[in-house]
């Protein structure tokens, strides 16, 4: 059941193709782990095994994932550039400069548009908005998705029925149609990126929910759940302390994917004029505003597009690294 | 837990006429059919029988862990308090704190994403108001008690870093965590290498000494029982077919089935030409059981009336020794009822 909310065409990322293991600790497909790094030899000493706490072990495995680390560094750099760089930059994103339709120059490294907006300032501002929006989407879809998915996977009955009917709804009515109706309402009332983010989040949580439900359906049959119950653990404890932590891998991966999906969905909405509205700006809005200039004033289109692709890829690679880091069997040490 | 529910002079655990029925496509599966026993404080009762005889279902029924599809009848009183049919919320307070359980496969009964110390802390904090550091110290102490070397360091390790025997010790430590009065161990050594079985049983015995718990040791291997158990209950097709002290059972089994189980054990005192004497045939299907003694088709001393009346568990030769066989008095220690495995072509029927 590929349940990827990015139903809007081929713009989805490579990681989407690989479904997350439903047990959360299952097979991992880390591309980067081919060679044992020096640390993995240190691991085999009893002292090293004993000394590390779980959090440290996860962190260490993540740090060793080179592609994910590089992506994280790049992602943070972009965030810092957006947050701090935009304050130091001589132009704001809405300011009109004297240079019209200028290509990349020393003063305007990303050029300017026909009314004199500095594209560097605009791209910084737009990528910040896109990232913030996608984090809102991730937070909303994760909270709703984990809650409903956990109830559905553990108790079945009505949460499962609700999840299934809602998923049917999302699958039969195209996600875009729902977003169009909702975001038109939102645009009328507020039209802010926060609203767009909440709306996208309220629509794409089913993906996380179905994943969590699937993971819990198989995890709840595992012996260690029975054992926990036999030692007096109640439903809440079993769900929160035993089941969900075993599903953290898929949850993280899926949430990360929803960050990427959200950025792409927002772009699509912007293309239809229903995304973030000016004077606010977003990468999707910039790209759609400037798509006509792709061949003539290429810088207007290319820089936002490059930022969009780089951010989406970074987020996906980070998700990949996190999934591997949460898998405690990555470094196997036998007693 | 309401202490008023407990009664001081009631037996520790008194099970009477426990029966469990599952509905399946083949009709009703009567997994447990009227099992009764009493467990005294500090004793070790071994429940023995071939696979499928209802041992695990009996244990799960006591803790209220059977799926909802199971119909449970009879009575199981812990210190006078009825366990069967008690709401799950109240059973939670019993599980782990009063009656703890150890499962068969230590490879799967620990949570893979937590350190073993964390899991012990979790088990402790499920029943005790105790801060995390104190709980961790107690966890380390428990690991030490069950024989985990360098317990303080190993507590931070994850289950996959432990061998099977070491994991089962961790599971035993978890069962001890809240000083239960009863520990049920369901085939605790079946999944382990023969070489570590004795060590794990030793850890179980240590757990008993430390907690003064009574133990129900479920096994299909009478060999495990000999040096360990005080009392033995033999189960067959969902019923207790023989019950007595370990001496009763080993020196003079009264039920042909028990004799068969003993005959299929390798014996150290056997002279050279003594061979294993396994029980021929397989246990009956528990769905749609025919009337009569369920062991009859495999029984060497059966007579026509065995096909009609199912024998009840009744005292033989006084004392506490009970057997469910019409002809229990005819079974004598010397006779060999079952044919030995033949080493050459002349297969005995
Ligand atoms: N959940 C269930 N649904 C239906 N039948 C069951 C269930 N659990 C156990 N049984 C049946 O009950 C019988 C006794 O099982 P069990 O107590 O596990 O045997 P054992 O003595 O090997 O532990 C078996 O025939 C088994 O098929
Ligand atoms: Mg069993």
């Amino acid at each position: 059941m590929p349940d990827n909310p990015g139903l809007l065409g081929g713009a989805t990322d490579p990681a989407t193709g690989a479904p997350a293991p439903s047990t959360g600790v299952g097979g991992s497909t880390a591309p980067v782990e081919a060679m044992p790094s020096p640390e993995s030899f240190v691991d085999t000493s009893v002292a090293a095994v004993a000394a590390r706490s779980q959090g440290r072990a996860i962190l260490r495995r993540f740090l060793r994932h080179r592609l994910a680390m590089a992506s994280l560094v790049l992602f943070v750099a972009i965030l810092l550039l957006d947050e701090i760089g935009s304050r130091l930059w001589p132009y704001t994103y809405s300011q009109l400069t004297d240079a019209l339709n200028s290509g990349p120059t020393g003063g305007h490294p990303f050029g300017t548009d026909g009314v004199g907006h500095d594209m560097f300032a605009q791209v910084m501002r737009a990528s910040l908005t896109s990232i913030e929006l996608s984090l809102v989407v991730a937070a909303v879809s994760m909270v709703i998705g984990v809650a409903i998915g956990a109830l559905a996977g553990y108790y079945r009955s009505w949460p499962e029925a609700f999840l299934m009917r809602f998923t049917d709804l999302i699958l039969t009515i195209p996600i875009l149609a729902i977003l169009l109706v909702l975001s038109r309402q939102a645009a009328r009332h507020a039209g802010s990126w926060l609203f767009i983010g909440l709306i996208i989040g309220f629509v794409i949580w089913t993906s996380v929910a179905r994943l969590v439900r699937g993971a819990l359906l198989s995890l709840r049959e595992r012996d260690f759940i029975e054992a926990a119950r036999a030692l007096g653990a109640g439903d809440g404890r079993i769900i929160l302390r035993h089941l969900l932590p075993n599903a953290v891998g898929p949850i993280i991966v899926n949430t990360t994917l929803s960050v990427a999906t959200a950025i792409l969905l927002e772009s699509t909405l912007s293309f239809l004029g229903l995304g973030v509205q000016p004077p606010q700006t977003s990468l999707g809005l910039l790209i759609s505003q400037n798509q006509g200039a792709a061949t003539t004033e290429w810088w207007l289109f290319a820089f936002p597009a490059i930022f969009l692709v780089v951010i989406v890829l970074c987020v996906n690679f980070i998700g990949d690294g996190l999934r591997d880091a949460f898998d405690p069997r990555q470094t196997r040490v036998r007693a | 837990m309401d202490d008023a529910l407990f009664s001081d002079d009631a037996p520790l655990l008194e099970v009477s006429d426990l029966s469990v029925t599952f509905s399946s496509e083949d009709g009703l599966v009567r997994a447990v059919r009227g099992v009764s026993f009493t467990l005294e404080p500090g004793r070790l009762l071994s429940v023995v029988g071939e696979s499928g005889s209802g041992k695990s279902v009996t244990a799960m029924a006591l803790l209220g862990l059977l799926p909802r599809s199971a119909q449970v009848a009879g009575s199981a009183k812990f210190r006078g308090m009825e366990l069967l049919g008690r709401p799950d919320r109240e059973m939670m307070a019993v599980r782990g704190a009063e009656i703890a359980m150890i499962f068969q496969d230590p490879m799967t009964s620990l949570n893979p994403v937590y350190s073993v110390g964390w899991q012990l802390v979790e088990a402790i904090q499920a029943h005790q108001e105790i801060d995390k550091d104190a709980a961790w110290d107690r966890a380390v102490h428990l690991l030490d008690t069950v024989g985990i070397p360098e317990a303080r360091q190993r507590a931070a390790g994850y289950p996959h870093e432990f061998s099977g025997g070491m994991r089962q010790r961790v599971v035993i430590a978890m069962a001890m965590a809240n000083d239960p009065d009863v520990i049920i161990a369901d085939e605790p050594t079946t999944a382990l290498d023969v070489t570590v079985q004795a060590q794990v049983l030793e850890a179980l015995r240590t757990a008993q000494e430390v907690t003064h718990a009574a133990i129900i040791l479920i096994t299909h291997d009478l060999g495990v029982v000999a040096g360990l158990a005080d009392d033995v209950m033999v189960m067959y097709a969902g019923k207790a077919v023989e019950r007595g002290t370990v001496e009763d059972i080993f020196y003079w089994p009264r039920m042909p089935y028990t004799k068969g189980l003993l005959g299929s054990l390798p014996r150290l005192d056997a002279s050279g030409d003594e061979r294993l004497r396994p029980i021929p045939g397989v246990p009956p299907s528990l769905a749609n059981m025919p009337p009569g003694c369920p062991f009859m088709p495999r029984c060497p001393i059966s007579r026509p009336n065995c096909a009609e009346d199912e024998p009840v568990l009744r005292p033989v030769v006084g004392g506490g020794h009970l057997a469910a066989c019409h002809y229990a008095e005819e079974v004598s220690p010397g006779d060999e009822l079952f044919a030995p495995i033949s080493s050459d072509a002349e297969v005995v029927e």
Side-chain angles (χ1 to χ4, degrees):
Chain A
M1 38 131 242
D3 188 25
N4 174 12
L7 303 171
L8 302 171
T12 46
D13 49 89
T16 319
S22 64
T23 58
V25 286
S28 128
T29 51
V32 185
E33 295 278 335
M35 273 192 312
S37 61
E39 293 97 310
S40 65
F41 295 113
V42 178
D43 277 350
T44 48
S45 88
V46 174
V49 168
R52 69 169 191 245
S53 70
Q54 194 193 5
R56 290 233 312 272
I58 291 172
L59 183 64
R60 206 176 32 90
R61 284 193 293 260
F62 184 76
L63 292 176
R64 229 169 44 195
H65 199 295
R66 291 188 202 108
L67 189 53
M69 275 309 292
S71 298
L72 183 64
V73 169
L74 189 53
F75 186 78
V76 170
I78 291 175
L79 258 183
L80 287 180
L81 181 74
D82 296 345
E83 270 290 349
I84 298 167
S86 59
R87 297 203 189 132
L88 305 177
W89 194 243
Y91 314 106
T92 69
Y93 77 99
S94 53
Q95 188 177 347
L96 301 177
T97 66
D98 294 339
L100 302 184
N101 268 334
S102 152
T105 61
H108 301 286
F110 287 6
T112 61
D113 67 7
V115 291
H117 287 127
D118 176 67
M119 284 309 287
F120 187 59
Q122 288 230 314
V123 168
M124 282 193 292
R125 178 67 198 195
S127 40
L128 188 61
T129 307
S130 288
I131 289 171
E132 284 173 345
L133 179 143
S134 66
L135 294 181
V136 167
V137 172
V140 169
S141 63
M142 189 174 83
V143 168
I144 304 181
V146 168
I148 305 247
L151 293 176
Y154 189 76
Y155 290 112
R156 320 292 301 268
S157 78
W158 70 262
E160 189 168 49
F162 172 71
L163 172 61
M164 288 315 172
R165 294 299 80 76
F166 196 90
T167 309
D168 287 347
L169 186 78
I170 303 273
L171 287 180
T172 44
I173 307 173
I175 194 167
L176 197 52
I178 300 175
L179 286 178
L180 287 180
V181 173
L182 291 176
S183 59
R184 179 164 299 161
Q185 297 303 317
R188 191 175 299 154
H189 296 301
S192 74
W193 64 265
L194 185 61
F195 259 75
I196 306 286
L198 290 174
I199 286 165
I200 298 178
F202 277 120
V203 172
I204 70 168
W205 61 266
T206 56
S207 148
V208 178
R210 287 175 40 150
L211 187 116
V212 170
R213 169 182 163 273
L216 261 61
L217 278 180
S218 74
L219 282 169
R220 68 200 282 262
E221 304 298 335
R222 300 268 295 271
D223 287 354
F224 62 83
I225 298 302
E226 183 94 85
R229 189 171 288 122
L231 289 175
D235 289 351
R237 232 184 162 90
I238 284 178
I239 293 176
L240 293 175
R241 318 253 294 173
H242 291 279
L243 289 171
L244 285 178
N246 273 281
V248 155
I251 292 172
I252 298 252
V253 175
N254 200 275
T255 303
T256 322
L257 293 184
S258 69
V259 168
T261 306
I263 295 179
L264 296 170
L265 268 175
E266 189 279 325
S267 305
T268 312
L269 287 180
S270 291
F271 260 81
L272 298 165
L274 292 163
V276 171
Q277 302 293 319
Q280 295 183 346
T281 189
S282 71
L283 288 174
L285 187 59
L286 277 188
I287 293 171
S288 74
Q289 281 170 341
N290 296 318
Q291 56 179 323
T295 50
T296 49
E297 287 120 0
W298 59 268
W299 58 89
L300 296 181
F301 178 80
F303 289 111
I306 289 169
F307 266 67
L308 184 84
V309 170
V310 168
I311 290 172
V312 169
L313 282 180
C314 280
V315 167
N316 280 323
F317 289 136
I318 292 169
D320 226 29
L322 283 171
R323 184 186 58 202
D324 295 344
F326 273 103
D327 182 349
R329 284 174 231 173
Q330 278 288 303
T331 51
R332 187 171 282 262
V333 184
R334 277 246 154 226
Chain B
M1 184 72 11
D2 189 348
D3 279 326
L5 292 169
F6 295 119
S7 143
D8 278 339
D9 28 79
L12 180 58
L13 184 64
E14 186 176 28
V15 176
S16 27
D17 209 19
L18 172 70
S19 54
V20 179
T21 309
F22 296 99
S23 358
S24 75
E25 293 100 49
D26 317 335
L28 295 181
V29 175
R30 303 189 57 202
V32 179
R33 303 180 301 136
V35 165
S36 307
F37 63 90
T38 307
L39 186 66
E40 306 291 346
R43 306 264 300 176
L44 196 151
L45 166 71
S46 188
V47 179
V48 189
E50 282 166 301
S51 162
S53 52
K55 308 181 297 292
S56 299
V57 171
T58 302
M60 300 299 258
L62 298 182
L63 282 173
L65 289 174
L66 289 171
R68 250 172 244 155
S69 61
Q71 294 159 257
V72 183
S75 153
K77 289 195 166 122
F78 174 80
R79 295 194 185 286
M81 176 188 77
E82 181 61 55
L83 297 175
L84 303 185
R86 192 156 276 273
D88 203 54
R89 187 177 300 281
E90 290 173 30
M91 283 307 290
M92 271 167 55
V94 173
R95 296 178 198 136
E98 318 284 355
I99 307 178
M101 182 136 179
I102 295 165
F103 290 93
Q104 173 170 339
D105 190 353
M107 292 307 183
T108 55
S109 55
L110 290 170
N111 194 328
V113 304
Y114 293 117
S115 70
V116 299
W118 189 99
Q119 302 192 44
L120 272 158
V121 168
E122 169 76 9
I124 294 165
Q125 289 185 330
H127 294 288
Q128 299 173 37
E129 297 284 332
I130 169 174
D131 74 65
K132 201 162 180 306
D133 289 342
W136 189 269
D137 284 342
R138 171 139 173 81
V140 169
H141 175 73
L142 286 165
L143 289 175
D144 192 52
T145 306
V146 296
I148 304 260
E150 301 186 78
R152 189 158 291 277
Q153 284 88 39
R154 299 309 301 273
Y158 288 82
H160 70 265
E161 299 165 355
F162 288 73
S163 66
M166 285 294 158
R167 285 197 211 191
Q168 196 62 300
R169 289 170 197 252
V170 173
V171 174
I172 292 172
M174 285 172 71
M176 295 167 64
N178 294 294
D179 269 319
D181 292 327
V182 178
I183 297 176
I184 304 176
D186 189 356
E187 313 231 13
T189 59
T190 303
L192 300 176
D193 284 355
V194 186
T195 48
V196 297
Q197 287 187 356
Q199 297 163 22
V200 168
L201 290 173
E202 191 54 41
L204 192 62
R205 196 206 282 280
T206 308
Q208 180 174 33
E209 279 161 16
V210 172
T211 59
H212 305 291
I215 293 189
I216 300 178
L217 174 63
I218 297 176
T219 176
H220 64 262
D221 179 3
L222 256 181
V224 162
V225 173
L228 217 56
D230 300 306
D231 306 294
V232 177
M233 176 167 82
V234 180
M235 283 188 72
Y236 187 77
K239 275 209 157 167
V241 292
E242 181 152 11
R243 224 173 70 198
T245 63
V246 71
E247 291 82 13
D248 291 339
I249 302 293
F250 272 81
Y251 293 126
W252 199 334
R254 293 294 189 156
M255 165 75 194
Y257 176 62
T258 312
K259 214 163 156 59
L261 287 179
L262 285 167
S264 48
L265 287 179
R267 288 175 52 168
L268 291 177
D269 60 351
S271 55
D273 64 333
E274 269 194 63
R275 283 163 290 186
L276 298 186
R277 295 166 178 272
I279 311 170
V282 292
S285 153
L286 295 176
N288 312 313
M289 289 243 304
C293 175
F295 189 59
M296 188 205 137
R298 307 169 74 186
C299 182
I301 63 166
S302 68
R303 301 191 196 161
N305 71 316
C306 294
E308 275 119 53
D309 338 318
E310 181 162 9
V312 295
L313 195 64
R314 62 186 174 87
V316 278
V317 292
H321 193 170
L322 311 176
C325 176
H326 295 309
Y327 304 105
E329 283 76 9
E330 296 176 18
V331 180
S332 75
D335 296 350
E336 292 297 352
L337 297 181
F338 297 93
I341 297 177
S342 170
S343 50
D344 46 55
E346 37 133 350
V347 177
V348 186
E349 284 148 27

